[in-house]
Structures are given as C-alpha cells and as structure tokens.
Amino acid sequence: MCLAAQSTVTTQTALRTAPGAAQVGQVRTGTSVATNGTQRGWSKVTVEGFLHRSVVGGHRGDFSISVKADGGALLRGSPSRSGRVLALLADGTGLTKVSTRGEWIRVRRTGWLTTSALSKTGPTVAERKPAAASSAHRAKSTPAVVARRPPAVAKASPNKSAGDSTAVAEGDVTPDSTPPAATALALERRTALYTAPDAGTLGTIDSSARVTAIARDRGWVRVQVEGWVRAQDLGSSDSSVLTTISAADLKAQPDRYRGQVVRWIVQKIAVETADPLRKGMAPDEPYILARGPGQENSLLYLALPSSLVDQAKRIDALATITVTARVRAGRSEPSGVPLLDVLSITAR
C-alpha cells in the first residue's frame, strides 16, 4: 500500500484527459484524489473507486476496460449500492482495472482537474478515509450559519441502484417517506447543516440549538431551526418561485408541491424521449435526464416543450444549467423520479 499526496475536491468539477481538453467525468465535492503534479493551474490526479459490472465494457485505447452506460456511470467509494458517489464517469471513458469484488470492479482513472478546485490534505495512505471521519472533518471546518440563508433540508440518503447505468439508476429513489409529526430534538454535538441530499453545507448548528424534525429519509432528518437575525441582513424574495426545496422534498411529500414552480441548478445528462414505461409522460415526449439540484444526487425528468428542445440539445452533456420548471409529479411512476415541466433553461 503506497503513500501519495492527497487532495480533496472542494467543488464539483470536470475531470479532463489533459489541461483544458475533453472531459471524461465530473468529480464530486468531498472526493479524495491522489495528486502527482501541476501545470499552469491544473493538477494531475488519480481517482479510484468501484463500478458495478453492469456498466463496465471492453477495452478502449490503452485502457483494459471502459464505461458502458448511455447516461454515464457512478463511481462509488465502496462496493455497495449505497456507497458514497465519488464521480460520474462519461460513457466510453477508459479505465484501469484494479481488482474485482463480487459484482463490483475496482477501477482507477488518471486525469486533470483545475488546481483551484482542490484542497491539499497531505500525504496519506492511498485509500479513502472512513466516511465518518470525513464527515466529522467537514462539520468542524464549516463556517457559522449564514444569516441570509433560510433553514435548509437535511442531506438525503445515497443511491442504491443495482447497477449504475442511467436506466438502472432510476431505481435509486428512496421509498416514499411519510413526514412525521413535528418533533423537537436536541443536538448531541455541533453539527453541519446541509442544503440538500448529498449536497454542500450551509454552515453549522451549535449543540445548544433546538431543532424541529419535519421529515425523515433513511438516516437523515429534515429540520427547522428558529433564531434571530438582524433586519438589515434580510431582503425580499419571489415567493412564487421555490429555490430552497430539494428533490428529496418532492419525493417525500409529492402532493404538497404539485403545480409549484422551482428554480434549480442541475447537471444535464442527456436529452431523451419518453418510452411507454414512463407513466405521466406522453409517448415520445422529449425530456432532459438530469441530476441535482445543486450537489444533490438525485435523478430528475425535466419535460421539454417543443420550443426548448433544440436549445436543450445544444447544451453539452454533463454541463451545469439553471432551469425554471413546474412540478408535474413529485414521484413519477414507476421509478419514483421527480417529473417537472421546463419553463426556461439557462446555460451556466
């Protein structure tokens, strides 16, 4: 087991074949990578993790195996359907096979990330630290809660697809969670407050705070916290457009948000047309298969009007876009993926 300089990805960023060249995936915030050189604002890194064998294909170029999944495949930190997502690798990406563990294959890929997206964590054994230790570090290093931001949703559970292709990943949606009656809770320690499932943090809540639980989702709790802020730090907002709800909110309370308008930052995976299995969508209805919002690890169906189809197709796969959309179904059938009608798209 070798030692290597380790860095942590501080913001989701593209993994490229060379500085400024084509991208082969998106590395998620919090992922640990081995660094071995820099070049004019770029760092050469190696990311390692597990892929389900259903999304692994044959050799590509100098690589012994490759990604075989139209919408890309999720690289996980452990050989499990609930393993933490480290990166989304694009279809056709060449990989180095490290080992096999049952249905899972450990793979490695070297590429380039912008140095500004990395935070050096020092030499360490070339393996990921346990998730608990990583979470504890984030909680300690997170700044105080920003007064301008409203209370946010708790982080959602990881995906649990049988394979990590787009088609299989649709089954990652967690079971419908019935919101419990509001319950007052005490915090056992200073803890991080997350903006959305698998997303970044708003800040931290001190252990002296009392929170109210309003929804639960497999180990995570959506909470509200009350406090005071200075009037000068507040501004008006457009109450007709929701910007702070998450995909997990839609899935947990599908009837509550139907017909409401959200504005989200999402990652485009592909433009598809609906097949007969997509209940709630017209046959061959065009839609964007997306992931988000923000850093939330949830699939989304964003139905497109004919006037926006060409614009959506011109946007690169894995690009980040801002969409304004009306909720058609918080949990569509049969996959449970949120389905929304797109009103506008803005490339970022």
Side-chain angles (χ1 to χ4, degrees):
M1 197 175 291
C2 61
L3 294 179
Q6 295 290 114
S7 295
T8 299
V9 177
T10 58
T11 183
Q12 181 169 303
T13 189
L15 179 68
R16 301 182 182 275
T17 57
Q23 62 175 287
V24 292
Q26 288 276 333
V27 184
R28 296 293 175 84
T29 302
T31 297
S32 179
V33 296
T35 55
N36 42 48
T38 60
Q39 179 179 318
R40 296 181 181 178
W42 295 85
S43 292
K44 189 175 184 180
V45 304
T46 298
V47 59
E48 188 170 315
F50 293 87
L51 291 177
H52 192 269
R53 70 175 186 177
S54 64
V55 296
V56 175
H59 88 262
R60 185 178 182 88
D62 295 332
F63 295 95
S64 57
I65 59 175
S66 61
V67 174
K68 183 185 67 175
D70 289 341
L74 299 177
L75 181 71
R76 297 185 182 274
S78 60
S80 167
R81 297 169 185 173
S82 60
R84 184 173 183 271
V85 176
L86 307 180
L88 174 65
L89 300 178
D91 182 32
T93 297
L95 303 165
T96 299
K97 180 177 178 180
V98 178
S99 61
T100 302
R101 190 179 302 184
E103 298 287 299
W104 296 84
I105 299 175
R106 189 177 187 115
V107 300
R108 180 184 299 138
R109 175 69 200 216
T110 297
W112 294 79
L113 300 177
T114 55
T115 302
S116 61
L118 297 174
S119 174
K120 189 173 182 180
T121 55
T124 183
V125 176
E127 288 184 343
R128 289 190 54 77
K129 295 182 180 180
S134 177
S135 297
H137 172 74
R138 289 197 302 271
K140 291 178 181 178
S141 62
T142 308
V145 176
V146 180
R148 294 177 183 270
R149 303 290 291 272
V153 277
K155 191 177 181 183
S157 57
N159 287 353
K160 61 167 192 173
S161 56
D164 284 334
S165 68
T166 298
V168 178
E170 291 165 5
D172 285 359
V173 180
T174 59
D176 194 8
S177 302
T178 302
T183 305
L185 299 172
L187 296 174
E188 295 186 355
R189 62 188 66 84
R190 185 179 178 88
T191 187
L193 180 67
Y194 294 85
T195 61
D198 277 335
T201 55
L202 280 174
T204 59
I205 310 176
D206 192 81
S207 58
S208 62
R210 296 295 180 269
V211 298
T212 301
I214 58 175
R216 297 176 185 271
D217 189 359
R218 295 192 310 171
W220 291 91
V221 182
R222 181 179 180 181
V223 299
Q224 288 182 340
V225 57
E226 291 188 4
W228 291 79
V229 298
R230 295 181 182 276
Q232 66 192 36
D233 293 329
L234 298 176
S236 60
S237 63
D238 184 354
S239 59
S240 65
V241 178
L242 304 177
T243 58
T244 60
I245 67 168
S246 66
D249 293 328
L250 300 189
K251 288 181 280 189
Q253 303 180 70
D255 294 331
R256 176 179 176 182
Y257 297 105
R258 185 177 291 114
Q260 297 198 46
V261 176
V262 303
R263 182 172 295 118
W264 280 345
I265 296 174
V266 303
Q267 182 183 50
K268 173 195 169 181
I269 297 176
V271 174
E272 307 281 358
T273 54
D275 57 44
L277 294 178
R278 300 286 186 272
K279 297 180 181 179
M281 300 180 74
D284 296 324
E285 182 175 8
Y287 68 95
I288 297 175
L289 178 64
R291 195 177 301 278
Q295 296 173 15
E296 184 176 0
N297 189 29
S298 175
L299 287 179
L300 305 168
Y301 296 152
L302 305 176
L304 290 165
S306 57
S307 59
L308 293 179
V309 172
D310 288 342
Q311 180 185 352
K313 288 182 176 180
R314 287 195 297 268
I315 299 173
D316 293 338
L318 304 182
T320 300
I321 60 177
T322 299
V323 296
T324 302
R326 179 173 287 106
V327 179
R328 186 188 299 185
R331 290 177 60 86
S332 64
E333 297 294 338
S335 62
V337 175
L339 169 61
L340 300 89
D341 291 295
V342 175
L343 304 177
S344 67
I345 308 172
T346 303
R348 294 174 61 84

